[in-house]
Amino acid sequence: MSWLVDRGRTLTGTRVLDAMTALDTFSAALIGTFDRFDAVLTPTLALTPRPLGWYGDDPEEDFRRQCAYSPWTSMANVAGLPAITLPVGVTDEEHPDGAGLPMGVQLIGRPGGERVLLAIGAQLERRLRWQRRHPAAWTA
């Protein structure tokens, strides 16, 4: 990501401070919005798994695609909120091993709420029997 570092180096101190203030404002608003919930459920990804080479060689396009691909994980990271991603389904697309690719949901918790997320995640995995799912190649 040297492109991103190089781009950052062109910013003035004032622009960096303004950006940090905007991120802090966003973080506080997100935490305040989610505060009344033990956990918030979002998709993990905005798209199904991308094929190899999808990001391409252009760093700016790569960054744009990363943001489009995983917008919900980014917001949890920016706000410093604990989050866990759980595989809960598979794509409908057929793959060489005879199964779809895993797709997941993200649970976002309150600050310091990792214990709650892990407990919910464990319950969800048991309920969905995810631990019993294996690629078809394992049984061949």
Side-chain angles (χ1 to χ4, degrees):
M1 281 264 150
S2 64
W3 160 82
L4 198 53
V5 171
D6 291 343
R7 187 168 174 193
R9 288 184 175 144
T10 67
L11 299 175
T12 64
T14 302
R15 294 246 356 242
V16 171
L17 185 58
D18 289 346
M20 291 174 67
T21 300
L23 288 174
D24 286 345
T25 301
F26 170 82
S27 298
L30 187 67
I31 291 168
T33 299
F34 289 174
D35 187 50
R36 65 182 195 257
F37 305 106
D38 291 328
V40 174
L41 182 70
T42 71
T44 298
L45 302 172
L47 304 167
T48 57
R50 303 290 78 202
L52 290 176
W54 180 75
Y55 290 106
D57 295 327
D58 177 357
E60 193 167 352
E61 179 64 13
D62 175 288
F63 185 75
R64 187 193 67 72
R65 287 183 175 200
Q66 286 181 50
C67 292
Y69 187 55
S70 59
W72 297 284
T73 56
S74 298
M75 73 175 186
N77 288 337
V78 165
L81 292 171
I84 186 172
T85 296
L86 302 162
V88 295
V90 294
T91 63
D92 292 333
E93 302 166 25
E94 189 70 21
H95 292 276
D97 72 357
L101 294 173
M103 292 296 294
V105 295
Q106 173 182 235
L107 288 171
I108 303 170
R110 293 180 173 141
E114 290 86 353
R115 185 179 302 234
V116 170
L117 295 182
L118 292 171
I120 294 171
Q123 289 177 26
L124 187 58
E125 284 183 336
R126 277 193 305 276
R127 179 78 174 162
L128 296 175
R129 297 178 168 212
W130 189 261
Q131 72 278 11
R132 294 182 185 204
R133 297 182 189 191
H134 303 288
W138 285 21
T139 58

